[in-house]
Amino acid sequence: MKLGVFSDVHGNIEALRAVMAALRRAGATRFACCGDVVGYGPNPAEVVAEIQQLGAATVAGNHEWGVVGRLARGDFNAAAWSALCWTRTVLTASDRDWLGGLPPVVDIGPDRLVHAAPSDPGGWDYVISTARAGEELAGFGGRVCFAGHTHQPLAVARRNDGPAERLAPDQLVLEPGTRYFLNPGSVGQPRDGDPRAGCLLFDDAVGTVEFLRVEYDIAAVRDRMRRAGLPRTLADRLEVGR
Ligand code: ZN
């Protein structure tokens, strides 16, 4: 069965709907989310409802912890904190309960979902280098560890105790005896210079991975952010994917 994996939607319902359409067209029948459902974007409640409806396996990100009060103002930059405070005002109590109840780790057979580093899911480190991903894989007993948090696609492989190898985040064929650290990039706020929404398709039966980028209506989201009074810098970065 094909699993659609995505992360860091950050209240961007336009981007999430575009990603869902692309993943379904590509054959995904199940979905998994590596956290940061809310924060930054103008439609957090709609994104919560969509992910609940998908029945996506979902882990908590640092923005979930922020919105329910498990992280404080000092754990975020000013724009992020401002958006989180606004987000609290548009979520229902049941949305907040759902977000607050998300687990830090979900295992799907031999594969794992976390938001940041699997060695310390609540520490919120950024696994961005090949070396760090390799260290994470050294302590990981499964097959694929899916993570988000950096908003940049990443694919790193490690065969037994061999060196970590960086792979192009494109099409992969998983090899037996090899562990993988895969970040699908961000749906709602990409930061790798490509403003299109990121996600990936994982066929866990045959062991293939396909990273996808999907266009969506960025102007509509920017407009909604402006009307909601969200920080201008957060809207501007959607255009450039940084
Ligand atoms: Zn994020």
Side-chain angles (χ1 to χ4, degrees), residues 7-10 34-40 61-63 115 126 148-151 186 189 191:
S7 190
D8 296 271
V9 180
H10 284 296
C34 297
D36 276 5
V37 170
V38 300
Y40 301 135
N62 52 313
H63 285 249
H115 182 61
Y126 290 88
H149 196 41
T150 67
H151 296 212
S186 169
Q189 194 201 77
R191 296 179 191 161

Side-chain angles (χ1 to χ4, degrees), residues 127-137 154-158 163-167 181:
V127 181
I128 210 154
S129 69
T130 307
R132 178 63 196 269
E135 285 168 27
E136 292 295 329
L137 288 175
L154 178 71
V156 172
R158 188 160 185 178
E165 185 192 351
R166 189 147 187 156
L167 308 169
F181 189 94

